[in-house]
């Protein structure tokens, strides 16, 4: 860049511009409104005043600051000024030449600058010439493609071919590009660079025009298509008028309006439905929107607005219904009767929502059905297990294709009444993902204070759910979200005892299974002994589902025998068929090999092996714990697929036993040269929880003292480092498991003694419970020959009292 140097460059007023670029030789009109710029104009009133026009860089945010002004400015002269209302001016400038701002002064009322002329140089005249020719070609194509650019511009440009700098400025000024691009061309002093920038802009503009034309062409095609469709629709209308179909939408709308009138709904709800009916009235039946609105109205009127079934609560009938359908479960039935008694005295009472929690197959769903039957309400079951989308509960918005109402209002429509008993089944298996959390949507549904204005996204009108009786079921309490659990009253339904299962089989399962398999005419005699044996050796569960499957398998085999025997009798090859009598010994032939050995506990007193008690989803279980010592380096090995809590409880038990070695009379002389291994069978089953602490402590004490653990004792309880025995959960299920395994003595934490109230009488009568508060009380009970001798030991079980293995599970 070369300057014409004078002795001292003159000072010249500077007008900063933000949205207009004035090129040398170009004319442009600018609106001036800022106070400092107006002051500048007033100070230079002469008609031909010279002012430097500086341009703000768009990258600096567009506000006017000295540092945001470009280095290259244009000296311009004022051709015309016009005062506008509101103290602003419209000024027309003619650009004269590019100058470089050497120094900028911002201390006065307006900007002033010392400027130097810049000389425009061409580095490669031949290359610039090629650029100019290319630019003319491109511009001619642009003029041909777009009506925005006039053909005169091509002539003007061709006249300026010999002055490439002027040519570039003129071309850029005539292009429809934004301020930032024009400013970049202005700042380019070198003609090579300036021409390159203008060519790039020209190519971009040509591309833009082509795309715009393509879009316009398509749009025009669409308009033609829609016009054609309009004519066809008009013809269709005429044909429909001839056929008498024109009034279809009006007839439909009138029909819905009558229905709406008859319902006498709240004003807000009626207004929403009325609006849809009016929309239907003015839409052609052939349009897709017509079907969408009609479907919405059909579903809206299918809802049971104002339809109630009369509730008749007779506690004696309810009790008989519950007893007739479910054997046992006395506490659950008592709670249901209390709940209904309150409803009878106060029908408007917004009581708690009952939640039945228990293992599979104990009759949770059928209990809900029995309640509905007993009080005369409609029953509808909604399975929420595996629901991951909030819209399953609240419905989809109508803007979606194939939108549907949520499960709740769908259930009410199916039940056909505003006050059914809705059962939300498997609530612990509800999921959530990116589409929302259905459990959170249920919070409103299951809150009696909020659910009188439940709004489904599909209908978008408030619906009163406060008259619905909700009953909830689930298998695992800890899988139900806490805020949801807070709204429920949990009723635990634990497993059945063997005697209860026998009664259930006798009263319910056998008659049903025999009838289902076509054996009612000649029923087989299935004895109680056979049912007990099936319970012990072919099922291990808290409920009765697998027992039912076993009985079904048995009946299938008998049915086949009957059909084959009758066929033989018809041919005269055999005697007429007589139904078989099934006893315990016959089951192996019908059901195959036994799946479970009845007695799961240890079968004899052994050193280092103890009976623990565990809880699983299908009820309680005996958990045998084995401990072993061998020469080594003092390591403690723990196996059996254990969780962190269980591993830590084993470490705590080990530390306690070692710390109390002398008092417990244990031999720890070679403990540093001994490895201990504790194993929890079965190895493939995951286990966790602290309740095996007492059992592990007993097994270790037995191993290190050499005293055998009694095989007729089972125990449960968490142990602290001080040897205290803390309470545990699932006591009822654990005690039922011990009873099934024919274990007669149970050691349990003293704080769990309160749970013995829930134990069935038959279990309580046959079992001796030993509540303990410290490990010191456990070892004399569990280890044979511990301490002073027999004083602290359990009494031996007399032979006469000991039940034979076939009687109890």
């Amino acid at each position: 860049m070369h300057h014409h140097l004078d002795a001292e460059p003159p000072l010249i007023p500077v007008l900063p511009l933000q949205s207009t670029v004035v090129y040398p030789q170009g004319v442009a009109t600018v609106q001036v409104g800022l106070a400092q710029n107006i002051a500048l104009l007033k100070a230079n009133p002469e008609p031909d005043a010279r002012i430097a026009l500086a341009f703000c860089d768009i990258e600096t945010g567009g506000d006017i600051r000295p540092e945001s002004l470009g280095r290259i400015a244009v000296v311009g002269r004022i051709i015309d000024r016009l005062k506008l209302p509101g103290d602003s001016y419209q000024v027309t400038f003619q650009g004269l030449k590019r100058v470089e701002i050497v120094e900028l002064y911002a201390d006065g009322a307006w900007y002033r600058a010392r400027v130097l002329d810049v000389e425009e140089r061409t580095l490669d005249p031949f290359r610039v010439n090629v650029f100019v020719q290319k630019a003319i070609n491109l511009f001619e194509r642009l003029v041909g493609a777009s009506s925005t650019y006039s053909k005169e511009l091509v002539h003007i440009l061709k006249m300026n071919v010999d002055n490439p700098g002027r040519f570039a400025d003129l071309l850029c000024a005539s292009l429809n590009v934004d301020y930032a691009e024009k400013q970049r061309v202005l700042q380019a002093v070198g003609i090579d660079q300036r021409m390159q920038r203008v060519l790039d802009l020209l190519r971009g503009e040509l591309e833009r025009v082509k795309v715009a034309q393509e879009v316009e062409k398509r749009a025009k095609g669409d308009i033609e298509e829609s016009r054609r469709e309009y004519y066809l629709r008009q013809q269709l209308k005429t044909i429909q008028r001839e056929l008498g179909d024109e009034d279809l939408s009006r007839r439909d709308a009138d029909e819905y309006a009558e229905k709406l009138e008859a319902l006498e709904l709240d004003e807000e709800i009626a207004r929403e439905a009325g609006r849809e009916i009016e929309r239907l009235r003015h839409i052609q039946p052939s349009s897709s929107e017509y079907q969408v609105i009609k479907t919405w109205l059909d579903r809206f009127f299918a809802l049971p607005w104002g339809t109630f079934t009369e509730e008749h609560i007779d506690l004696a009938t309810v009790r008989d219904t519950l007893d007739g359908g479910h054997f046992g479960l006395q506490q659950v039935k008592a709670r249901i009767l209390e709940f209904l008694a309150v409803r009878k005295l106060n029908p408007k009472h917004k009581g708690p929502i009952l939640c039945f929690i228990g293992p599979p197959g104990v009759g949770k769903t059928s209990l809900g059905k029995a309640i509905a039957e007993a009080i005369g309400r409609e029953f509808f079951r909604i399975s929420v297990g595996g629901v991951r989308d909030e819209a399953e509960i609240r419905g989809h918005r109508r803007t979606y294709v194939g939108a549907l109402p949520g499960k709740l209002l769908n259930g009410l429509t199916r039940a056909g009444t505003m006050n059914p008993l809705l059962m939300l089944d498997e609530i612990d298996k509800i999921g959530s993902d990116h589409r929302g959390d259905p459990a959170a949507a249920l919070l409103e549904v299951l809150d009696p204070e909020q659910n009188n204005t439940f709004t489904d996204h599909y209908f978008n009108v408030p619906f009163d759910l406060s008259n619905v009786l909700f009953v909830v079921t689930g298998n695992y309490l800890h899988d139900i979200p806490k805020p949801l659990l807070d709204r429920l009253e949990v009723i635990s339904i634990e497993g059945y005892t063997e005697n209860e299962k026998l009664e259930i089989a006798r009263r319910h399962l056998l008659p049903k299974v025999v009838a289902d398999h076509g054996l009612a005419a000649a029923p087989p005699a299935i004895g109680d002994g056979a049912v007990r044996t099936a319970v012990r050796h072919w099922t291990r569960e808290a409920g009765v589902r697998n027992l039912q499957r076993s009985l079904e398998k048995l009946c299938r085999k008998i049915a086949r025998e009957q059909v084959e025997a009758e066929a033989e009798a018809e041919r005269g090859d055999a005697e007429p068929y007589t139904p078989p009598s099934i006893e315990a010994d016959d089951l192996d032939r019908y059901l195959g090999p036994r799946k479970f050995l009845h007695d799961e506990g240890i079968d004899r007193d052994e050193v280092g092996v103890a009976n623990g008690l565990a809880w699983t989803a299908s009820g309680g279980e005996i958990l045998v714990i084995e401990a072993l010592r061998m020469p080594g380096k003092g390591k403690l090995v723990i196996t059996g697929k254990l969780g962190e809590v269980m591993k830590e409880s084993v470490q705590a038990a080990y530390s306690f036993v070692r710390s109390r070695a002398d008092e417990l009379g244990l031999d720890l002389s070679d403990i540093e040269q001994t490895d201990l291994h504790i194993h929890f069978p079965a190895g493939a089953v995951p286990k966790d929880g602290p309740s095996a602490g007492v059992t592990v402590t007993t097994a270790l004490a037995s191993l290190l003292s050499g005293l055998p653990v009694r095989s007729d004792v089972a125990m449960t309880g968490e142990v602290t480092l001080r040897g205290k025995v803390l309470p545990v959960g699932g006591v009822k299920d654990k005690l039922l498991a011990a009873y099934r395994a024919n274990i007669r003595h149970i050691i349990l934490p003293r704080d769990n003694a309160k749970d013995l109230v829930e134990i069935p009488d038959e279990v309580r009568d046959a079992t001796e419970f030993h509540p303990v508060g410290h490990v010191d009380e456990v070892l004399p009970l569990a280890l044979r020959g511990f301490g002073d001798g027999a004083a602290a030991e359990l009494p031996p079980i007399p032979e006469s009292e000991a039940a034979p293995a076939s009687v109890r599970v």
Side-chain angles (χ1 to χ4, degrees):
M1 190 185 290
H2 296 267
H3 304 299
H4 301 299
L5 293 171
D6 296 328
E8 175 72 61
L11 265 175
I12 185 166
V14 175
L15 180 71
L17 296 180
Q18 280 180 292
S19 56
T20 309
V21 174
V22 182
Y23 289 101
Q25 323 300 309
V27 175
T29 302
V30 178
Q31 197 151 333
V32 178
L34 281 175
Q36 69 173 52
N37 295 343
I38 289 166
L40 183 152
L41 288 174
K42 285 182 177 171
N44 294 277
E46 57 273 15
D48 214 15
R50 298 281 195 281
I51 291 173
L53 303 170
F55 306 98
C56 293
D57 287 334
I58 205 86
E59 287 84 6
T60 60
D63 55 336
I64 297 173
R65 303 192 304 276
E67 60 271 20
S68 72
L69 297 177
R71 203 166 43 82
I72 302 297
V74 170
V75 172
R77 69 189 182 91
I78 297 175
I79 299 174
D80 181 33
R81 62 177 93 197
L82 175 64
K83 191 169 184 330
L84 297 174
D87 204 21
S88 64
Y89 285 86
Q90 187 173 299
V91 186
T92 306
F93 290 101
Q94 181 190 14
L96 300 175
K97 59 184 176 181
R98 277 182 175 76
V99 292
E100 182 184 1
I101 296 174
V102 184
E103 279 182 89
L104 186 69
Y105 300 97
D107 49 355
W110 53 82
Y111 292 164
R112 289 165 305 145
R114 292 195 188 282
V115 298
L116 289 172
D117 290 2
V118 294
E119 186 183 336
E120 299 176 357
R121 282 281 184 90
T122 308
L123 298 174
D124 187 345
F126 176 73
R127 188 157 171 262
V128 168
N129 241 353
V130 172
F131 279 170
V132 169
Q133 288 308 318
K134 208 179 258 185
I136 287 175
N137 287 342
L138 283 171
F139 195 75
E140 281 178 331
R141 280 170 61 194
L142 187 61
V143 168
S146 169
S147 57
T148 318
Y149 299 100
S150 71
K151 286 180 180 163
E152 277 89 55
L153 280 169
V154 181
H155 300 307
I156 296 166
L157 285 170
K158 282 181 176 172
M159 286 161 63
N160 285 279
V161 169
D162 298 337
N163 183 349
R166 169 83 187 108
F167 176 88
D169 287 347
L170 190 60
L171 181 52
C172 190
S174 60
L175 282 179
N176 182 18
V177 293
D178 60 15
Y179 167 79
E181 300 291 358
K182 289 188 174 181
Q183 152 78 327
R184 282 180 70 231
V185 170
L186 182 93
Q187 296 294 322
V189 175
I191 290 170
D192 306 64
Q193 188 189 13
R194 198 185 311 168
M195 276 304 302
Q196 182 65 58
R197 285 185 184 175
V198 170
L199 265 178
D200 291 345
L201 288 177
L202 195 51
R203 284 197 188 96
E205 179 64 7
L206 190 59
E207 193 62 38
R208 188 189 68 77
V209 166
K210 276 185 183 167
V211 171
Q213 283 181 334
E214 189 65 35
V215 170
E216 197 176 331
K217 203 167 166 187
R218 261 192 219 139
K220 201 170 178 191
D222 290 347
I223 289 164
E224 288 297 320
E225 182 62 36
S226 65
R227 192 173 292 157
R228 182 169 165 274
E229 195 175 315
Y230 172 75
Y231 290 140
L232 287 172
R233 288 213 179 282
Q234 289 302 103
Q235 284 178 318
L236 187 65
K237 237 187 218 174
T238 315
I239 293 165
Q240 282 176 338
R241 197 179 302 124
E242 291 296 317
L243 293 171
D245 287 354
E246 195 198 18
D247 297 337
L248 185 64
S249 58
R250 194 159 51 78
R251 278 207 308 275
D252 280 349
D254 289 345
E255 197 179 306
Y256 287 128
E258 276 174 37
K259 284 185 184 176
L260 186 62
E261 189 105 358
L263 283 179
E264 297 177 3
L265 298 175
D266 286 353
E267 193 181 330
E268 184 187 346
I269 301 169
R271 194 165 51 241
E272 181 73 23
R275 194 182 304 127
E276 293 300 324
I277 291 168
E278 282 311 304
R279 283 181 65 203
L280 188 78
R281 196 184 294 279
H282 298 107
I283 289 182
Q284 283 299 313
S286 52
S287 87
S288 59
E289 185 66 13
Y290 184 86
Q291 285 309 317
V292 171
I293 298 171
K294 196 168 184 312
T295 306
W296 186 90
L297 286 165
D298 285 339
R299 286 192 175 131
F300 177 86
F301 288 112
L303 286 171
W305 298 103
T307 309
F308 292 89
T309 47
E310 199 178 331
E311 190 174 82
H312 47 81
I313 299 176
D314 178 1
L315 290 192
T317 312
V318 176
R319 194 184 300 111
D320 292 346
T321 308
L322 292 177
D323 286 341
H326 297 80
F327 181 78
L329 306 179
Q330 294 310 323
Q331 285 178 304
V332 179
K333 290 175 185 173
R335 179 65 193 89
I336 291 168
L337 290 170
E338 290 160 15
F339 173 76
L340 295 174
V342 173
R343 282 197 70 82
K344 186 172 176 69
L345 294 175
N346 181 7
K348 289 191 169 57
H349 174 64
K350 291 180 178 174
I353 285 157
L354 299 182
C355 173
F356 298 142
I357 290 288
V362 292
K364 299 182 295 295
T365 308
S366 52
L367 258 179
K369 204 166 188 176
I371 297 170
E373 274 175 31
I375 62 176
R377 285 200 182 207
E378 294 296 327
F379 174 81
F380 192 78
R381 189 180 73 85
I382 297 172
S383 179
V384 290
V387 169
R388 310 186 71 81
D389 185 357
E390 185 211 5
E392 296 262 354
I393 305 296
R394 282 190 188 280
H396 299 84
R397 298 189 190 284
R398 262 197 304 158
T399 46
Y400 297 115
V401 176
L404 289 168
K407 282 179 179 287
L408 284 162
L409 291 196
N410 212 12
L412 283 173
T413 304
R414 302 272 289 279
T417 168
M418 294 278 277
N419 62 338
L421 187 147
L422 281 190
M423 171 165 275
L424 302 178
D425 222 357
E426 311 289 0
I427 201 161
D428 55 327
K429 295 172 190 66
I430 206 162
S432 69
D433 61 9
H434 63 279
R435 292 168 295 187
D437 185 356
L442 281 176
L443 291 179
E444 179 194 359
V445 174
L446 296 179
D447 191 334
E449 300 301 322
Q450 296 176 26
N451 65 9
N452 58 343
T453 55
F454 173 74
T455 303
D456 189 286
H457 289 324
Y458 180 80
F459 292 110
N460 203 27
V461 293
F463 193 88
D464 186 1
L465 294 179
S466 60
N467 296 303
V468 177
L469 189 57
F470 286 102
V471 175
V472 179
T473 76
N475 296 133
Y476 305 99
L477 200 57
H478 53 79
D479 284 349
I480 301 175
K482 285 286 176 287
L484 195 53
L485 192 57
D486 188 46
R487 286 163 165 74
L488 309 174
E489 176 169 336
V490 175
I491 298 176
S492 290
I493 304 178
E494 282 93 1
Y496 297 108
T497 63
E498 184 183 308
N499 282 349
E500 286 174 334
K501 286 184 182 179
L502 179 63
E503 278 298 320
I504 291 167
R506 199 188 284 145
R507 293 185 186 193
H508 305 288
L509 301 182
L510 276 173
K512 180 178 183 298
V513 169
V514 165
D516 286 352
H517 288 75
L519 302 174
I526 300 174
D528 290 356
V531 176
R532 278 188 195 277
T533 308
V535 167
R536 286 178 193 153
H537 297 296
W538 276 273
T539 71
R540 176 154 303 162
E541 58 179 349
V544 289
R545 274 207 189 125
N546 284 326
L547 175 59
Q548 181 172 344
R549 285 193 193 105
S550 299
L551 294 175
E552 284 170 352
K553 185 176 181 181
L554 179 66
C555 286
R556 281 199 304 274
K557 305 267 188 193
I558 293 170
R560 181 185 164 186
E561 281 180 5
Q562 180 177 336
V563 171
E564 288 175 348
E566 284 173 353
E568 283 184 14
E570 276 177 27
R571 290 198 304 269
D573 297 345
E575 294 294 316
Y577 173 77
T578 51
S581 180
I582 307 291
E583 293 303 328
D585 301 340
D586 303 321
L587 288 182
D588 293 297
R589 184 159 61 90
Y590 286 102
L591 299 181
R594 299 184 173 201
K595 292 182 181 175
F596 303 102
L597 291 173
H598 165 57
D599 191 358
E600 326 164 283
I602 49 179
D603 49 3
R604 62 178 188 279
D605 299 355
E606 269 186 77
V607 173
V609 184
N611 286 325
L613 294 171
W615 182 87
T616 69
S618 59
E621 278 191 13
I622 298 289
L623 179 68
V624 176
I625 295 175
E626 305 169 339
L628 203 65
R629 65 189 290 173
M630 56 213 145
K633 296 178 181 172
K635 277 196 306 182
L636 174 66
V637 181
I638 311 163
T639 56
K641 204 171 184 192
L642 310 181
E644 284 301 313
V645 177
M646 206 156 187
K647 285 179 184 170
E648 288 168 8
S649 74
V650 173
Q651 293 283 0
Y654 181 52
S655 300
F656 169 74
V657 169
R658 285 187 65 178
S659 69
R660 301 286 298 278
D662 295 339
E663 296 166 47
L664 299 174
L666 308 181
D667 173 22
L668 295 185
S669 54
D670 60 344
I671 195 74
E672 295 301 327
Q673 282 79 45
T674 303
D675 282 356
L676 295 183
H677 186 153
I678 297 174
H679 181 59
F680 294 75
V685 181
K687 309 167 194 75
D688 205 356
S691 67
V694 165
T695 324
V696 174
T697 307
T698 305
L700 283 171
S702 162
L703 183 68
L704 297 173
S705 65
L707 297 173
V709 181
R710 289 186 60 139
S711 59
D712 58 350
V713 173
M715 59 202 82
T716 183
E718 180 182 348
V719 170
T720 69
L721 278 178
R722 293 175 295 152
K724 283 187 71 176
V725 179
L726 301 182
V728 292
V731 169
K732 182 182 175 186
D733 284 328
K734 290 176 180 177
L735 298 187
L736 288 177
Y739 173 71
R740 285 200 295 267
N742 208 24
I743 290 172
R744 309 300 295 278
H745 295 279
I746 306 289
I747 298 170
L748 73 162
R750 187 163 286 131
D751 290 345
N752 281 121
K754 64 181 187 309
D755 298 321
L756 297 178
V757 179
E758 299 176 10
I759 307 301
D761 292 341
E762 64 171 290
V763 178
R764 206 180 300 124
D765 295 343
T767 313
E768 199 168 329
F769 300 107
H770 304 274
V772 294
H774 198 277
V775 176
D776 293 346
E777 301 169 58
V778 175
L779 299 181
L781 293 167
L783 300 182
R784 283 206 190 276
F786 184 85
D788 305 332
E793 280 193 23
L794 301 175
I797 300 168
E799 286 301 315
S800 60
E801 229 184 87
S806 61
V807 175
R808 287 199 179 87
V809 181

